[in-house]
Amino acid sequence: MEDPSLPVHRRIVEDNGGEIVGVPVDRHGMDVGQLRSTHADGVIVTPAHQFPLGATLAPVRRAELARWARRADAVVVEDDYDGEFRFDRQPVGAMQALAPDHIVYAGTASKSLSPALRMGWVVLPARLVEPFLAARGPETVSTIDQLALADFINSHALERHLRRMRAAYRRRRDALVETLAASPYDLRLDGVSAGLHAVVNLENTSLTETDLLGLAASGGVGIHALGDYWITPRDRQGIVVGYSRPPLHQYPAALAAFASLLAPPS
Ligand SMILES: Cc1ncc(COP(=O)(O)O)c(C=O)c1O
């Protein structure tokens, strides 16, 4: 697993008998060289937008990862959870085509539409279709919801929705960047301009995750500590901020509340 990554994914792997090995992430995404030195037989990776640090997996690393999967006869799960939302350039394509016999592409409606839909999709290597269906069991997403999504796609409504939301999330991210620039601290966002969340890097400041989370809790601001996502704890301080909520009319007030956490003590 990428280190840092989503804890719930680690729990799912462990609950199913897997053993977790963390692979460090830098500004080019997962360090595939270090993955090669493990004995892993599978990896979950977020190539379009590393969760939570926000890097895009570099093209040479994508090729290296596909090579590793073929050589090690391993399975790569490409978790493309928010690839629809890239703001500074065209979205990077999926890497599944680099090794279709080894890469499972996993998409979700959770970011593009709503997490309440509980809809996702996978593109599987042919040999994994039967084992996947057996593991999933008979439960599926409601057929009505699937038909509604199909209609949404076929009528181009999804495309229009994504275009509108891309512009909206980009404006929210830009407003967050402006809030950080106005703070007296040297704060910046890690990662590429994409997605519905970003990590505020606290490294050049005296601010700590613990202090900010304490202030946020009393100020009614919902933020997360980067520390919650490490497999091997690091001393790198950061705050994970989601900017898809609250509704637009409440967003400026939420940003102002966040900015007040970043003011030095008087
Ligand atoms: C890294 C990552 N992967 C996948 C998902 C999507 O999960 P689900 O489709 O179960 O909502 C999320 C959602 O927050 C996520 O952060």
Side-chain angles (χ1 to χ4, degrees):
M1 302 272 316
E2 294 167 320
D3 189 9
S5 52
L6 201 62
V8 68
H9 286 176
R10 305 204 283 269
R11 271 203 303 281
I12 293 168
V13 171
E14 283 174 335
D15 287 352
N16 287 280
E19 187 190 327
I20 301 292
V21 182
V23 180
V25 168
D26 61 24
R27 63 195 183 86
H28 302 295
M30 173 187 263
D31 185 342
V32 180
Q34 295 210 36
L35 171 66
R36 277 196 269 115
S37 63
T38 70
H39 296 289
D41 48 19
V43 62
I44 302 177
V45 62
T46 46
H49 190 217
Q50 202 279 326
F51 188 86
L53 289 176
T56 295
L57 191 63
V60 284
R61 291 198 180 172
R62 289 169 173 246
E64 210 181 338
L65 184 55
R67 241 185 344 263
W68 168 81
R70 276 193 226 98
R71 276 204 201 125
D73 195 21
V75 174
V76 174
V77 178
E78 175 174 19
D79 175 12
D80 189 17
Y81 64 102
D82 71 354
E84 298 88 352
F85 297 114
R86 180 83 194 230
F87 310 129
D88 55 341
R89 47 162 287 172
Q90 289 295 315
V92 288
M95 61 168 291
Q96 186 263 351
L98 294 180
D101 290 339
H102 292 276
I103 302 178
V104 175
Y105 173 87
T108 177
S110 286
K111 303 290 185 190
S112 54
L113 291 169
S114 165
L117 284 172
R118 307 313 306 139
M119 272 209 234
W121 43 88
V122 287
V123 178
L124 293 158
R127 71 196 151 89
L128 292 183
V129 172
E130 285 305 324
F132 176 86
L133 292 175
R136 190 203 61 183
E139 301 280 327
T140 78
V141 174
S142 127
T143 309
I144 306 250
D145 290 357
Q146 293 186 54
L147 290 172
L149 179 60
D151 187 55
F152 204 59
I153 295 169
N154 291 333
S155 66
H156 302 286
L158 178 65
E159 215 174 292
R160 285 195 296 276
H161 167 76
L162 289 177
R163 212 175 303 132
R164 199 172 59 243
M165 295 317 292
R166 216 173 276 131
Y169 291 141
R170 180 193 191 138
R171 280 195 294 272
R172 283 176 178 239
R173 191 180 197 277
D174 288 349
L176 173 61
V177 169
E178 280 166 28
T179 299
L180 297 181
S183 129
Y185 295 102
D186 178 9
L187 293 165
R188 63 184 157 81
L189 293 184
D190 282 329
V192 296
S193 182
L196 276 55
H197 80 278
V199 172
V200 180
N201 189 317
L202 303 178
E203 282 176 321
N204 296 335
T205 74
S206 52
L207 298 167
T208 67
E209 291 173 7
T210 313
D211 290 349
L212 282 181
L213 257 78
L215 290 169
S218 51
V221 181
I223 53 177
H224 298 272
L226 180 58
D228 291 345
Y229 299 89
W230 296 113
I231 297 173
T232 305
R234 307 275 160 87
D235 194 24
R236 173 176 166 177
Q237 299 284 298
I239 293 291
V240 184
V241 180
Y243 43 79
S244 64
R245 288 182 300 166
L248 194 54
H249 67 282
Q250 291 171 347
Y251 189 65
L255 269 187
F258 181 54
S260 71
L261 309 182
L262 304 173
S266 47

PDB file of all heavy atoms in Angstrom, residues 72-105:
ATOM      1  N   ALA A  72       6.395  -9.945 -11.465  1.00  0.00           N
ATOM      2  CA  ALA A  72       6.076 -10.578 -10.176  1.00  0.00           C
ATOM      3  C   ALA A  72       4.751 -11.343 -10.253  1.00  0.00           C
ATOM      4  O   ALA A  72       4.323 -11.920  -9.267  1.00  0.00           O
ATOM      5  CB  ALA A  72       6.003  -9.505  -9.087  1.00  0.00           C
ATOM      6  N   ASP A  73       4.105 -11.325 -11.421  1.00  0.00           N
ATOM      7  CA  ASP A  73       2.771 -11.898 -11.595  1.00  0.00           C
ATOM      8  C   ASP A  73       1.849 -11.386 -10.483  1.00  0.00           C
ATOM      9  O   ASP A  73       1.127 -12.155  -9.838  1.00  0.00           O
ATOM     10  CB  ASP A  73       2.845 -13.437 -11.598  1.00  0.00           C
ATOM     11  CG  ASP A  73       1.549 -14.037 -12.137  1.00  0.00           C
ATOM     12  OD1 ASP A  73       0.820 -13.315 -12.851  1.00  0.00           O
ATOM     13  OD2 ASP A  73       1.260 -15.205 -11.832  1.00  0.00           O
ATOM     14  N   ALA A  74       1.885 -10.084 -10.295  1.00  0.00           N
ATOM     15  CA  ALA A  74       1.147  -9.455  -9.195  1.00  0.00           C
ATOM     16  C   ALA A  74      -0.085  -8.731  -9.735  1.00  0.00           C
ATOM     17  O   ALA A  74      -0.228  -8.531 -10.935  1.00  0.00           O
ATOM     18  CB  ALA A  74       2.065  -8.457  -8.488  1.00  0.00           C
ATOM     19  N   VAL A  75      -0.952  -8.355  -8.803  1.00  0.00           N
ATOM     20  CA  VAL A  75      -2.151  -7.595  -9.168  1.00  0.00           C
ATOM     21  C   VAL A  75      -1.992  -6.154  -8.681  1.00  0.00           C
ATOM     22  O   VAL A  75      -1.651  -5.917  -7.515  1.00  0.00           O
ATOM     23  CB  VAL A  75      -3.416  -8.220  -8.537  1.00  0.00           C
ATOM     24  CG1 VAL A  75      -4.638  -7.340  -8.796  1.00  0.00           C
ATOM     25  CG2 VAL A  75      -3.645  -9.622  -9.101  1.00  0.00           C
ATOM     26  N   VAL A  76      -2.224  -5.216  -9.584  1.00  0.00           N
ATOM     27  CA  VAL A  76      -2.221  -3.793  -9.226  1.00  0.00           C
ATOM     28  C   VAL A  76      -3.680  -3.334  -9.227  1.00  0.00           C
ATOM     29  O   VAL A  76      -4.381  -3.533 -10.222  1.00  0.00           O
ATOM     30  CB  VAL A  76      -1.440  -2.964 -10.269  1.00  0.00           C
ATOM     31  CG1 VAL A  76      -1.551  -1.467  -9.980  1.00  0.00           C
ATOM     32  CG2 VAL A  76       0.021  -3.397 -10.327  1.00  0.00           C
ATOM     33  N   VAL A  77      -4.142  -2.763  -8.124  1.00  0.00           N
ATOM     34  CA  VAL A  77      -5.467  -2.149  -8.123  1.00  0.00           C
ATOM     35  C   VAL A  77      -5.277  -0.654  -8.337  1.00  0.00           C
ATOM     36  O   VAL A  77      -4.663   0.027  -7.509  1.00  0.00           O
ATOM     37  CB  VAL A  77      -6.231  -2.419  -6.803  1.00  0.00           C
ATOM     38  CG1 VAL A  77      -7.592  -1.702  -6.833  1.00  0.00           C
ATOM     39  CG2 VAL A  77      -6.422  -3.915  -6.588  1.00  0.00           C
ATOM     40  N   GLU A  78      -5.760  -0.173  -9.485  1.00  0.00           N
ATOM     41  CA  GLU A  78      -5.669   1.253  -9.811  1.00  0.00           C
ATOM     42  C   GLU A  78      -6.927   1.924  -9.256  1.00  0.00           C
ATOM     43  O   GLU A  78      -8.007   1.821  -9.841  1.00  0.00           O
ATOM     44  CB  GLU A  78      -5.577   1.440 -11.330  1.00  0.00           C
ATOM     45  CG  GLU A  78      -5.595   2.901 -11.722  1.00  0.00           C
ATOM     46  CD  GLU A  78      -5.361   3.128 -13.214  1.00  0.00           C
ATOM     47  OE1 GLU A  78      -5.530   2.191 -14.011  1.00  0.00           O
ATOM     48  OE2 GLU A  78      -5.002   4.271 -13.563  1.00  0.00           O
ATOM     49  N   ASP A  79      -6.784   2.587  -8.130  1.00  0.00           N
ATOM     50  CA  ASP A  79      -7.922   3.238  -7.467  1.00  0.00           C
ATOM     51  C   ASP A  79      -8.064   4.647  -8.045  1.00  0.00           C
ATOM     52  O   ASP A  79      -7.374   5.566  -7.631  1.00  0.00           O
ATOM     53  CB  ASP A  79      -7.650   3.255  -5.946  1.00  0.00           C
ATOM     54  CG  ASP A  79      -8.721   4.020  -5.177  1.00  0.00           C
ATOM     55  OD1 ASP A  79      -9.770   4.339  -5.763  1.00  0.00           O
ATOM     56  OD2 ASP A  79      -8.492   4.297  -3.980  1.00  0.00           O
ATOM     57  N   ASP A  80      -8.969   4.768  -9.028  1.00  0.00           N
ATOM     58  CA  ASP A  80      -9.156   6.062  -9.699  1.00  0.00           C
ATOM     59  C   ASP A  80     -10.381   6.734  -9.086  1.00  0.00           C
ATOM     60  O   ASP A  80     -11.432   6.823  -9.710  1.00  0.00           O
ATOM     61  CB  ASP A  80      -9.335   5.839 -11.202  1.00  0.00           C
ATOM     62  CG  ASP A  80      -9.312   7.145 -11.982  1.00  0.00           C
ATOM     63  OD1 ASP A  80      -8.840   8.163 -11.425  1.00  0.00           O
ATOM     64  OD2 ASP A  80      -9.773   7.154 -13.127  1.00  0.00           O
ATOM     65  N   TYR A  81     -10.222   7.221  -7.860  1.00  0.00           N
ATOM     66  CA  TYR A  81     -11.392   7.682  -7.097  1.00  0.00           C
ATOM     67  C   TYR A  81     -11.837   9.092  -7.474  1.00  0.00           C
ATOM     68  O   TYR A  81     -12.982   9.451  -7.237  1.00  0.00           O
ATOM     69  CB  TYR A  81     -11.087   7.592  -5.589  1.00  0.00           C
ATOM     70  CG  TYR A  81      -9.968   8.508  -5.173  1.00  0.00           C
ATOM     71  CD1 TYR A  81     -10.223   9.710  -4.529  1.00  0.00           C
ATOM     72  CD2 TYR A  81      -8.650   8.194  -5.480  1.00  0.00           C
ATOM     73  CE1 TYR A  81      -9.190  10.569  -4.185  1.00  0.00           C
ATOM     74  CE2 TYR A  81      -7.611   9.044  -5.153  1.00  0.00           C
ATOM     75  CZ  TYR A  81      -7.905  10.230  -4.506  1.00  0.00           C
ATOM     76  OH  TYR A  81      -6.891  11.087  -4.196  1.00  0.00           O
ATOM     77  N   ASP A  82     -10.928   9.921  -8.033  1.00  0.00           N
ATOM     78  CA  ASP A  82     -11.327  11.304  -8.341  1.00  0.00           C
ATOM     79  C   ASP A  82     -10.706  11.821  -9.632  1.00  0.00           C
ATOM     80  O   ASP A  82     -10.551  13.028  -9.806  1.00  0.00           O
ATOM     81  CB  ASP A  82     -10.987  12.238  -7.162  1.00  0.00           C
ATOM     82  CG  ASP A  82      -9.486  12.472  -7.012  1.00  0.00           C
ATOM     83  OD1 ASP A  82      -8.703  11.829  -7.738  1.00  0.00           O
ATOM     84  OD2 ASP A  82      -9.086  13.302  -6.178  1.00  0.00           O
ATOM     85  N   GLY A  83     -10.365  10.900 -10.532  1.00  0.00           N
ATOM     86  CA  GLY A  83      -9.629  11.254 -11.757  1.00  0.00           C
ATOM     87  C   GLY A  83     -10.382  12.201 -12.681  1.00  0.00           C
ATOM     88  O   GLY A  83      -9.790  12.774 -13.601  1.00  0.00           O
ATOM     89  N   GLU A  84     -11.691  12.381 -12.448  1.00  0.00           N
ATOM     90  CA  GLU A  84     -12.480  13.296 -13.288  1.00  0.00           C
ATOM     91  C   GLU A  84     -12.110  14.749 -13.013  1.00  0.00           C
ATOM     92  O   GLU A  84     -12.422  15.636 -13.801  1.00  0.00           O
ATOM     93  CB  GLU A  84     -13.980  13.142 -13.001  1.00  0.00           C
ATOM     94  CG  GLU A  84     -14.563  11.764 -13.310  1.00  0.00           C
ATOM     95  CD  GLU A  84     -14.452  10.813 -12.121  1.00  0.00           C
ATOM     96  OE1 GLU A  84     -13.788  11.157 -11.113  1.00  0.00           O
ATOM     97  OE2 GLU A  84     -15.020   9.721 -12.204  1.00  0.00           O
ATOM     98  N   PHE A  85     -11.471  14.984 -11.863  1.00  0.00           N
ATOM     99  CA  PHE A  85     -11.275  16.366 -11.439  1.00  0.00           C
ATOM    100  C   PHE A  85      -9.798  16.770 -11.448  1.00  0.00           C
ATOM    101  O   PHE A  85      -9.100  16.677 -10.437  1.00  0.00           O
ATOM    102  CB  PHE A  85     -11.887  16.589 -10.048  1.00  0.00           C
ATOM    103  CG  PHE A  85     -13.372  16.372 -10.040  1.00  0.00           C
ATOM    104  CD1 PHE A  85     -13.927  15.323  -9.335  1.00  0.00           C
ATOM    105  CD2 PHE A  85     -14.205  17.201 -10.769  1.00  0.00           C
ATOM    106  CE1 PHE A  85     -15.299  15.107  -9.342  1.00  0.00           C
ATOM    107  CE2 PHE A  85     -15.581  16.988 -10.785  1.00  0.00           C
ATOM    108  CZ  PHE A  85     -16.128  15.937 -10.067  1.00  0.00           C
ATOM    109  N   ARG A  86      -9.338  17.150 -12.640  1.00  0.00           N
ATOM    110  CA  ARG A  86      -7.998  17.719 -12.761  1.00  0.00           C
ATOM    111  C   ARG A  86      -8.216  19.145 -13.245  1.00  0.00           C
ATOM    112  O   ARG A  86      -8.968  19.370 -14.197  1.00  0.00           O
ATOM    113  CB  ARG A  86      -7.187  16.892 -13.770  1.00  0.00           C
ATOM    114  CG  ARG A  86      -5.775  17.386 -13.991  1.00  0.00           C
ATOM    115  CD  ARG A  86      -4.821  16.880 -12.932  1.00  0.00           C
ATOM    116  NE  ARG A  86      -3.591  17.612 -12.973  1.00  0.00           N
ATOM    117  CZ  ARG A  86      -2.383  17.061 -13.010  1.00  0.00           C
ATOM    118  NH1 ARG A  86      -2.247  15.765 -12.985  1.00  0.00           N
ATOM    119  NH2 ARG A  86      -1.303  17.821 -13.025  1.00  0.00           N
ATOM    120  N   PHE A  87      -7.575  20.123 -12.590  1.00  0.00           N
ATOM    121  CA  PHE A  87      -7.910  21.517 -12.879  1.00  0.00           C
ATOM    122  C   PHE A  87      -6.885  22.243 -13.739  1.00  0.00           C
ATOM    123  O   PHE A  87      -7.184  23.254 -14.348  1.00  0.00           O
ATOM    124  CB  PHE A  87      -8.098  22.297 -11.567  1.00  0.00           C
ATOM    125  CG  PHE A  87      -9.032  21.605 -10.604  1.00  0.00           C
ATOM    126  CD1 PHE A  87      -8.671  21.384  -9.293  1.00  0.00           C
ATOM    127  CD2 PHE A  87     -10.274  21.154 -11.026  1.00  0.00           C
ATOM    128  CE1 PHE A  87      -9.522  20.739  -8.410  1.00  0.00           C
ATOM    129  CE2 PHE A  87     -11.135  20.507 -10.168  1.00  0.00           C
ATOM    130  CZ  PHE A  87     -10.761  20.298  -8.857  1.00  0.00           C
ATOM    131  N   ASP A  88      -5.649  21.768 -13.754  1.00  0.00           N
ATOM    132  CA  ASP A  88      -4.592  22.527 -14.430  1.00  0.00           C
ATOM    133  C   ASP A  88      -4.261  21.966 -15.807  1.00  0.00           C
ATOM    134  O   ASP A  88      -3.459  22.535 -16.532  1.00  0.00           O
ATOM    135  CB  ASP A  88      -3.329  22.547 -13.555  1.00  0.00           C
ATOM    136  CG  ASP A  88      -2.865  21.152 -13.184  1.00  0.00           C
ATOM    137  OD1 ASP A  88      -3.687  20.199 -13.282  1.00  0.00           O
ATOM    138  OD2 ASP A  88      -1.701  20.987 -12.806  1.00  0.00           O
ATOM    139  N   ARG A  89      -4.841  20.820 -16.158  1.00  0.00           N
ATOM    140  CA  ARG A  89      -4.561  20.194 -17.454  1.00  0.00           C
ATOM    141  C   ARG A  89      -5.609  19.109 -17.680  1.00  0.00           C
ATOM    142  O   ARG A  89      -6.453  18.871 -16.819  1.00  0.00           O
ATOM    143  CB  ARG A  89      -3.156  19.573 -17.495  1.00  0.00           C
ATOM    144  CG  ARG A  89      -2.819  18.732 -16.269  1.00  0.00           C
ATOM    145  CD  ARG A  89      -1.678  17.797 -16.487  1.00  0.00           C
ATOM    146  NE  ARG A  89      -2.117  16.691 -17.335  1.00  0.00           N
ATOM    147  CZ  ARG A  89      -1.293  15.776 -17.845  1.00  0.00           C
ATOM    148  NH1 ARG A  89      -0.010  15.862 -17.645  1.00  0.00           N
ATOM    149  NH2 ARG A  89      -1.767  14.786 -18.573  1.00  0.00           N
ATOM    150  N   GLN A  90      -5.536  18.461 -18.852  1.00  0.00           N
ATOM    151  CA  GLN A  90      -6.450  17.346 -19.107  1.00  0.00           C
ATOM    152  C   GLN A  90      -6.164  16.240 -18.090  1.00  0.00           C
ATOM    153  O   GLN A  90      -5.009  16.052 -17.687  1.00  0.00           O
ATOM    154  CB  GLN A  90      -6.203  16.776 -20.511  1.00  0.00           C
ATOM    155  CG  GLN A  90      -6.647  17.688 -21.626  1.00  0.00           C
ATOM    156  CD  GLN A  90      -8.171  17.869 -21.601  1.00  0.00           C
ATOM    157  OE1 GLN A  90      -8.910  16.903 -21.446  1.00  0.00           O
ATOM    158  NE2 GLN A  90      -8.620  19.097 -21.716  1.00  0.00           N
ATOM    159  N   PRO A  91      -7.201  15.501 -17.673  1.00  0.00           N
ATOM    160  CA  PRO A  91      -6.929  14.400 -16.750  1.00  0.00           C
ATOM    161  C   PRO A  91      -5.935  13.409 -17.361  1.00  0.00           C
ATOM    162  O   PRO A  91      -5.951  13.201 -18.571  1.00  0.00           O
ATOM    163  CB  PRO A  91      -8.299  13.729 -16.588  1.00  0.00           C
ATOM    164  CG  PRO A  91      -9.298  14.727 -17.019  1.00  0.00           C
ATOM    165  CD  PRO A  91      -8.621  15.632 -18.006  1.00  0.00           C
ATOM    166  N   VAL A  92      -5.064  12.835 -16.517  1.00  0.00           N
ATOM    167  CA  VAL A  92      -4.155  11.808 -17.032  1.00  0.00           C
ATOM    168  C   VAL A  92      -4.973  10.537 -17.250  1.00  0.00           C
ATOM    169  O   VAL A  92      -5.906  10.270 -16.511  1.00  0.00           O
ATOM    170  CB  VAL A  92      -2.988  11.510 -16.065  1.00  0.00           C
ATOM    171  CG1 VAL A  92      -2.005  12.643 -16.049  1.00  0.00           C
ATOM    172  CG2 VAL A  92      -3.485  11.187 -14.682  1.00  0.00           C
ATOM    173  N   GLY A  93      -4.631   9.788 -18.270  1.00  0.00           N
ATOM    174  CA  GLY A  93      -5.391   8.563 -18.553  1.00  0.00           C
ATOM    175  C   GLY A  93      -5.131   7.495 -17.501  1.00  0.00           C
ATOM    176  O   GLY A  93      -4.186   7.587 -16.714  1.00  0.00           O
ATOM    177  N   ALA A  94      -5.988   6.484 -17.515  1.00  0.00           N
ATOM    178  CA  ALA A  94      -5.794   5.354 -16.603  1.00  0.00           C
ATOM    179  C   ALA A  94      -4.555   4.572 -17.034  1.00  0.00           C
ATOM    180  O   ALA A  94      -4.184   4.590 -18.203  1.00  0.00           O
ATOM    181  CB  ALA A  94      -7.012   4.454 -16.643  1.00  0.00           C
ATOM    182  N   MET A  95      -3.918   3.893 -16.074  1.00  0.00           N
ATOM    183  CA  MET A  95      -2.743   3.091 -16.430  1.00  0.00           C
ATOM    184  C   MET A  95      -3.100   1.629 -16.702  1.00  0.00           C
ATOM    185  O   MET A  95      -2.241   0.827 -17.062  1.00  0.00           O
ATOM    186  CB  MET A  95      -1.629   3.209 -15.395  1.00  0.00           C
ATOM    187  CG  MET A  95      -1.932   2.747 -13.996  1.00  0.00           C
ATOM    188  SD  MET A  95      -0.410   2.632 -13.022  1.00  0.00           S
ATOM    189  CE  MET A  95       0.444   1.250 -13.780  1.00  0.00           C
ATOM    190  N   GLN A  96      -4.375   1.285 -16.549  1.00  0.00           N
ATOM    191  CA  GLN A  96      -4.821  -0.109 -16.694  1.00  0.00           C
ATOM    192  C   GLN A  96      -4.368  -0.723 -18.016  1.00  0.00           C
ATOM    193  O   GLN A  96      -3.968  -1.885 -18.069  1.00  0.00           O
ATOM    194  CB  GLN A  96      -6.353  -0.139 -16.540  1.00  0.00           C
ATOM    195  CG  GLN A  96      -6.970  -1.513 -16.516  1.00  0.00           C
ATOM    196  CD  GLN A  96      -7.487  -1.917 -17.892  1.00  0.00           C
ATOM    197  OE1 GLN A  96      -7.529  -1.102 -18.806  1.00  0.00           O
ATOM    198  NE2 GLN A  96      -7.837  -3.180 -18.017  1.00  0.00           N
ATOM    199  N   ALA A  97      -4.388   0.095 -19.109  1.00  0.00           N
ATOM    200  CA  ALA A  97      -4.049  -0.431 -20.433  1.00  0.00           C
ATOM    201  C   ALA A  97      -2.572  -0.824 -20.544  1.00  0.00           C
ATOM    202  O   ALA A  97      -2.189  -1.541 -21.468  1.00  0.00           O
ATOM    203  CB  ALA A  97      -4.395   0.597 -21.508  1.00  0.00           C
ATOM    204  N   LEU A  98      -1.739  -0.362 -19.611  1.00  0.00           N
ATOM    205  CA  LEU A  98      -0.308  -0.709 -19.678  1.00  0.00           C
ATOM    206  C   LEU A  98      -0.070  -2.186 -19.374  1.00  0.00           C
ATOM    207  O   LEU A  98       0.924  -2.762 -19.806  1.00  0.00           O
ATOM    208  CB  LEU A  98       0.507   0.136 -18.680  1.00  0.00           C
ATOM    209  CG  LEU A  98       0.581   1.639 -18.941  1.00  0.00           C
ATOM    210  CD1 LEU A  98       1.425   2.315 -17.872  1.00  0.00           C
ATOM    211  CD2 LEU A  98       1.158   1.898 -20.329  1.00  0.00           C
ATOM    212  N   ALA A  99      -0.967  -2.791 -18.600  1.00  0.00           N
ATOM    213  CA  ALA A  99      -0.830  -4.225 -18.277  1.00  0.00           C
ATOM    214  C   ALA A  99      -2.223  -4.770 -17.939  1.00  0.00           C
ATOM    215  O   ALA A  99      -2.508  -5.087 -16.789  1.00  0.00           O
ATOM    216  CB  ALA A  99       0.139  -4.428 -17.105  1.00  0.00           C
ATOM    217  N   PRO A 100      -3.085  -4.872 -18.948  1.00  0.00           N
ATOM    218  CA  PRO A 100      -4.486  -5.243 -18.677  1.00  0.00           C
ATOM    219  C   PRO A 100      -4.639  -6.615 -18.031  1.00  0.00           C
ATOM    220  O   PRO A 100      -5.679  -6.895 -17.422  1.00  0.00           O
ATOM    221  CB  PRO A 100      -5.156  -5.195 -20.053  1.00  0.00           C
ATOM    222  CG  PRO A 100      -4.097  -4.966 -21.041  1.00  0.00           C
ATOM    223  CD  PRO A 100      -2.834  -4.587 -20.370  1.00  0.00           C
ATOM    224  N   ASP A 101      -3.626  -7.478 -18.131  1.00  0.00           N
ATOM    225  CA  ASP A 101      -3.730  -8.790 -17.481  1.00  0.00           C
ATOM    226  C   ASP A 101      -3.388  -8.738 -16.005  1.00  0.00           C
ATOM    227  O   ASP A 101      -3.519  -9.721 -15.286  1.00  0.00           O
ATOM    228  CB  ASP A 101      -2.781  -9.797 -18.157  1.00  0.00           C
ATOM    229  CG  ASP A 101      -3.290 -10.144 -19.539  1.00  0.00           C
ATOM    230  OD1 ASP A 101      -4.496  -9.937 -19.784  1.00  0.00           O
ATOM    231  OD2 ASP A 101      -2.473 -10.579 -20.378  1.00  0.00           O
ATOM    232  N   HIS A 102      -2.899  -7.581 -15.550  1.00  0.00           N
ATOM    233  CA  HIS A 102      -2.458  -7.477 -14.152  1.00  0.00           C
ATOM    234  C   HIS A 102      -3.069  -6.304 -13.394  1.00  0.00           C
ATOM    235  O   HIS A 102      -2.969  -6.257 -12.171  1.00  0.00           O
ATOM    236  CB  HIS A 102      -0.929  -7.369 -14.103  1.00  0.00           C
ATOM    237  CG  HIS A 102      -0.257  -8.617 -14.536  1.00  0.00           C
ATOM    238  ND1 HIS A 102      -0.041  -9.674 -13.686  1.00  0.00           N
ATOM    239  CD2 HIS A 102       0.194  -8.995 -15.743  1.00  0.00           C
ATOM    240  CE1 HIS A 102       0.539 -10.655 -14.353  1.00  0.00           C
ATOM    241  NE2 HIS A 102       0.692 -10.270 -15.615  1.00  0.00           N
ATOM    242  N   ILE A 103      -3.643  -5.347 -14.127  1.00  0.00           N
ATOM    243  CA  ILE A 103      -4.148  -4.147 -13.447  1.00  0.00           C
ATOM    244  C   ILE A 103      -5.675  -4.166 -13.386  1.00  0.00           C
ATOM    245  O   ILE A 103      -6.343  -4.350 -14.407  1.00  0.00           O
ATOM    246  CB  ILE A 103      -3.665  -2.855 -14.150  1.00  0.00           C
ATOM    247  CG1 ILE A 103      -2.138  -2.821 -14.192  1.00  0.00           C
ATOM    248  CG2 ILE A 103      -4.204  -1.618 -13.419  1.00  0.00           C
ATOM    249  CD1 ILE A 103      -1.537  -1.612 -14.902  1.00  0.00           C
ATOM    250  N   VAL A 104      -6.186  -3.997 -12.178  1.00  0.00           N
ATOM    251  CA  VAL A 104      -7.624  -3.859 -11.961  1.00  0.00           C
ATOM    252  C   VAL A 104      -7.909  -2.366 -11.876  1.00  0.00           C
ATOM    253  O   VAL A 104      -7.356  -1.679 -11.012  1.00  0.00           O
ATOM    254  CB  VAL A 104      -8.049  -4.524 -10.625  1.00  0.00           C
ATOM    255  CG1 VAL A 104      -9.531  -4.267 -10.344  1.00  0.00           C
ATOM    256  CG2 VAL A 104      -7.744  -6.015 -10.640  1.00  0.00           C
ATOM    257  N   TYR A 105      -8.755  -1.872 -12.775  1.00  0.00           N
ATOM    258  CA  TYR A 105      -9.126  -0.462 -12.711  1.00  0.00           C
ATOM    259  C   TYR A 105     -10.384  -0.342 -11.854  1.00  0.00           C
ATOM    260  O   TYR A 105     -11.371  -1.037 -12.089  1.00  0.00           O
ATOM    261  CB  TYR A 105      -9.406   0.070 -14.126  1.00  0.00           C
ATOM    262  CG  TYR A 105      -9.952   1.480 -14.109  1.00  0.00           C
ATOM    263  CD1 TYR A 105      -9.093   2.561 -14.095  1.00  0.00           C
ATOM    264  CD2 TYR A 105     -11.324   1.716 -14.067  1.00  0.00           C
ATOM    265  CE1 TYR A 105      -9.585   3.855 -14.048  1.00  0.00           C
ATOM    266  CE2 TYR A 105     -11.829   3.008 -14.019  1.00  0.00           C
ATOM    267  CZ  TYR A 105     -10.953   4.070 -14.005  1.00  0.00           C
ATOM    268  OH  TYR A 105     -11.441   5.345 -13.942  1.00  0.00           O
TER     269      TYR A 105
END
